[in-house]
Amino acid sequence: MHITVDRDLCCGSGNCVETVPDVFDQDSRDGMVLLRISQPPEHLREAVERAAQLCPVGAIEISHRNSTD
Amino acid sequence: MGEVASVDVTAFPAFPFIGSDDDPFIPVRDYDLKHLDESTGRIRLPFGGWAWLITKHEDVRQLLRHPGFSSDQYRPGFPVLNPIPPTREGASGLFIFMDGDAHSRFRRMLTAEFMIKNIRRIEPLIEETVNEALGRMREIGPPADLMNEFALPVPSMTICHLLGVPYSDHDFFQHHSRAIMDRNSGPAEVGAAMEALNGLLGDLITHKRTHPGEDLLSRLVTERVIPGELKEEELLSMAMLLLVAGHETTANMIGMSALALLEHPEHLDALREDPGLAPNLVEELLRYCTVVRTGLPRLALEDAVIGGREIKAGESVVAMLSMANRDESVFHDPEFFDPRRNEAHRHMAFGFGLHQCIGQPLARAELRIALVQLAKQFPGLRSETTLADVPKRHEAVTFGLGELPVTW
Ligand code: HEM
Ligand code: SF4
């Protein structure tokens, strides 16, 4: 699983940080999303998918391609 | 040919809907639902014209994320739900009513302030505020009015802490912010209270230029106003927005939550035993109560398709959060209050899209702390009122209780 975030779209709601603090963070300067890890372990998949669904602006993209290829 | 241009609005149900008088947890009466069916989802607006009412969870998501809809109440044709001042004077920082770059310019100055990690820092102050209010309630009663002693003071004190209003001004702030949302205040009293708060916050902003502290107003004065990026009047108007958007909503959520828990004492007991239940309980309460009952109005700037329905540029829509939060395709048995439901977090009580509530981490912290302490410190809490008798604020901007008499 590979995640990308669009900081231009992000409106700093913090939902992703609330949902998976191990993966998402907010920049202390502007409150916009930051990734702690872009290839989170498989056991976080469900939580990451939930974060993407809850993002109010659709700024979180999960690509399902195998990260080892 | 499709729809004809002239529409007879008299057959459409009048909006905003008045919820059930028998039960504050029923957001829309069957009577209105039936009429809505007959009008194919169109409503009659309070100041003339009509709008599409968007009620399904997925459609509300689509609408509130769509870039073709405006939040700008001052655009001609905007579906205004509450009377608004005739000019933008004093509204220069009310970014909740702005679109595009104007909106994000202001919002981006505040997002870091409301980050979860910064809210954690003021949690001890929230706890102190909650404990003080509960202490006073215990002195006064039993019985006591939980709205007056607890639900109303906690959010306004919290905003004082956030903005950096000094303790000596808390009573003044509290008094006037309460007058703004008192249903017995006439327009003149509301105007006078707004004026008084404007004066207080204006003086405070001037003071913080030379005496900055560790608070939101000080940081914005130092980092934005002094370098010339933000006008003082814009900051003042933003501060008023935070007060207005964060006080009544949170107060009504605390009151409705307390009532929901008194109706379901087994969940109040469970919370007392295990405060770890609070986060999911709060999400379910946000869903179940949905205090922004009038929904969110928007104006279409371009043709769009929402939920398969064609909406033309110039037409109005209202995103009906309370009905989306009871959409059975997302929430199993939606009329049922279930603090353990695992889809509770999918509610849209804070809206969706670019304007989604910026204060949500703060609101969640307030609700969590308020309810846990209420459960702990008042183990014998009960109310003799009934769902039918408890006074309801149907006409207010955010729905809530006029009073919640409790004893212990
Ligand atoms: C449980 C309590 C609360 C509820 C239910 C609530 C609900 C909402 C909703 C539905 C919106 C979206 C409005 C729209 O899209 O037009 C909103 C926006 C907003 N809320 Fe809250 N709110 C709450 C607490 C707070 C608090 C505590 C604050 C701050 C102190 C706050 C500040 C704001 C602001 C500034 C906006 C405008 C955001 C923007 O336009 O980008 N709210 N709120
Ligand atoms: S949920 Fe979306 S909008 Fe909110 S902080 Fe995360 S990426 Fe940004």
Side-chain angles (χ1 to χ4, degrees):
Chain A
M1 171 173 51
H2 185 93
I3 316 177
T4 52
V5 289
D6 185 338
R7 284 176 49 86
D8 290 331
L9 264 184
C10 174
C11 68
S13 72
N15 287 342
C16 53
V17 185
E18 177 99 20
T19 312
V20 213
D22 290 343
V23 175
F24 300 98
D25 195 4
Q26 277 165 287
D27 190 323
S28 302
R29 287 162 308 171
D30 62 7
M32 297 303 145
V33 66
L34 287 178
L35 277 178
R36 288 180 187 279
I37 34 175
S38 59
Q39 300 192 356
E42 207 46 33
H43 72 270
L44 290 176
R45 175 180 290 276
E46 206 185 306
V48 169
E49 282 171 355
R50 181 194 266 212
Q53 180 189 53
L54 289 182
C55 174
V57 293
I60 301 168
E61 205 60 73
I62 306 171
S63 75
H64 294 272
R65 77 181 154 76
N66 196 329
S67 47
T68 53
D69 58 33
Chain B
M1 289 290 292
E3 204 81 55
V4 282
S6 77
V7 178
D8 177 17
V9 300
T10 53
F12 299 170
F15 197 79
F17 297 147
I18 305 293
S20 164
D21 241 332
D22 302 329
D23 184 343
F25 297 105
I26 297 179
V28 184
R29 292 172 305 170
D30 290 344
Y31 166 89
D32 286 316
L33 291 178
K34 185 171 151 281
H35 271 93
L36 199 55
D37 243 11
E38 290 159 3
S39 67
T40 59
R42 286 167 294 182
I43 48 172
R44 177 155 42 98
L45 292 166
F47 303 104
W50 61 278
W52 298 105
L53 194 68
I54 309 299
T55 60
K56 292 204 170 64
H57 190 274
E58 184 49 39
D59 300 351
V60 169
R61 275 170 63 96
Q62 249 187 50
L63 166 65
L64 294 178
R65 259 188 190 177
H66 197 295
F69 289 87
S70 171
S71 285
D72 184 354
Q73 294 210 345
Y74 288 92
R75 272 181 201 269
F78 191 92
V80 173
L81 300 179
N82 298 291
I84 55 167
T87 68
R88 275 185 189 271
E89 202 202 322
S92 59
L94 302 188
F95 61 94
I96 194 168
F97 302 134
M98 295 177 192
D99 299 330
D101 291 344
H103 166 258
S104 60
R105 170 178 167 240
F106 289 110
R107 181 161 172 131
R108 282 176 175 248
M109 292 183 196
L110 285 178
T111 36
E113 293 289 338
F114 286 95
M115 287 190 304
I116 294 163
K117 51 191 173 200
N118 288 336
I119 297 304
R120 296 262 180 277
R121 289 214 300 254
I122 66 164
E123 279 186 13
L125 291 171
I126 301 176
E127 192 149 340
E128 188 186 299
T129 301
V130 161
N131 290 339
E132 269 171 28
L134 289 177
R136 232 179 350 260
M137 185 162 98
R138 186 176 292 103
E139 275 168 31
I140 288 171
D145 173 11
L146 187 136
M147 280 308 295
N148 209 32
E149 307 311 329
F150 189 52
L152 282 160
V154 166
S156 74
M157 287 299 98
T158 300
I159 292 168
C160 283
H161 289 307
L162 178 83
L163 296 179
V165 176
Y167 278 94
S168 54
D169 288 327
H170 279 196
D171 285 344
F172 181 92
F173 189 90
Q174 168 101 351
H175 173 81
H176 290 290
S177 57
R178 183 171 294 199
I180 294 177
M181 59 167 292
D182 188 333
R183 63 177 162 164
N184 299 318
S185 304
E189 281 155 299
V190 172
M194 295 286 258
E195 193 113 330
L197 287 171
N198 254 306
L200 171 77
L201 292 172
D203 290 348
L204 202 58
I205 289 170
T206 311
H207 179 75
K208 291 194 188 286
R209 274 180 178 268
T210 45
H211 301 81
E214 286 286 312
D215 54 67
L216 184 151
L217 285 182
S218 294
R219 282 187 289 271
L220 286 175
V221 166
T222 314
E223 291 163 22
R224 312 282 180 173
V225 176
I226 292 175
E229 211 184 301
L230 180 67
K231 293 195 197 113
E232 215 168 287
E233 67 173 64
E234 291 174 327
L235 177 57
L236 180 56
S237 153
M238 252 203 296
M240 289 296 284
L241 170 63
L242 294 181
L243 167 64
V244 171
H247 185 204
E248 184 167 359
T249 45
T250 315
N252 285 331
M253 261 310 294
I254 294 175
M256 288 286 281
S257 299
L259 181 62
L261 291 171
L262 289 168
E263 286 292 308
H264 301 272
E266 68 281 13
H267 295 309
L268 197 57
D269 294 341
L271 181 64
R272 186 177 310 115
E273 297 298 314
D274 180 7
L277 296 174
N280 208 66
L281 168 68
V282 166
E283 296 313 304
E284 174 66 349
L285 286 164
L286 286 160
R287 179 194 79 84
Y288 188 64
C289 304
T290 317
V291 293
V292 182
R293 292 260 172 110
T294 55
L296 305 176
R298 298 287 193 262
L299 177 67
L301 301 181
E302 55 185 68
D303 293 351
V305 178
I306 300 294
R309 167 173 289 146
E310 274 181 53
I311 294 167
K312 301 254 181 302
E315 286 181 353
S316 295
V317 291
V318 175
M320 196 58 166
L321 306 178
S322 63
M323 290 172 75
N325 283 347
R326 285 167 193 250
D327 183 335
E328 55 195 9
S329 69
V330 174
F331 304 102
H332 175 74
D333 199 358
E335 304 301 329
F336 183 57
F337 172 59
D338 178 7
R340 289 170 202 264
R341 70 166 72 238
N342 57 34
E343 74 279 19
H345 62 274
R346 294 189 63 192
H347 72 77
M348 287 188 284
F350 290 122
F352 207 67
L354 279 172
H355 288 274
Q356 191 183 52
C357 183
I358 197 172
Q360 49 183 314
L362 182 62
R364 286 194 169 100
E366 289 182 67
L367 287 167
R368 215 176 50 234
I369 295 169
L371 298 176
V372 167
Q373 291 305 326
L374 185 66
K376 268 199 196 158
Q377 299 184 29
F378 287 81
L381 192 73
R382 59 192 192 282
S383 180
E384 256 112 61
T385 187
T386 64
L387 294 182
D389 286 342
V390 69
K392 302 160 191 81
R393 295 166 43 101
H394 289 303
E395 62 297 309
V397 178
T398 55
F399 179 78
L401 307 174
E403 199 184 310
L404 178 54
V406 292
T407 186
W408 54 89

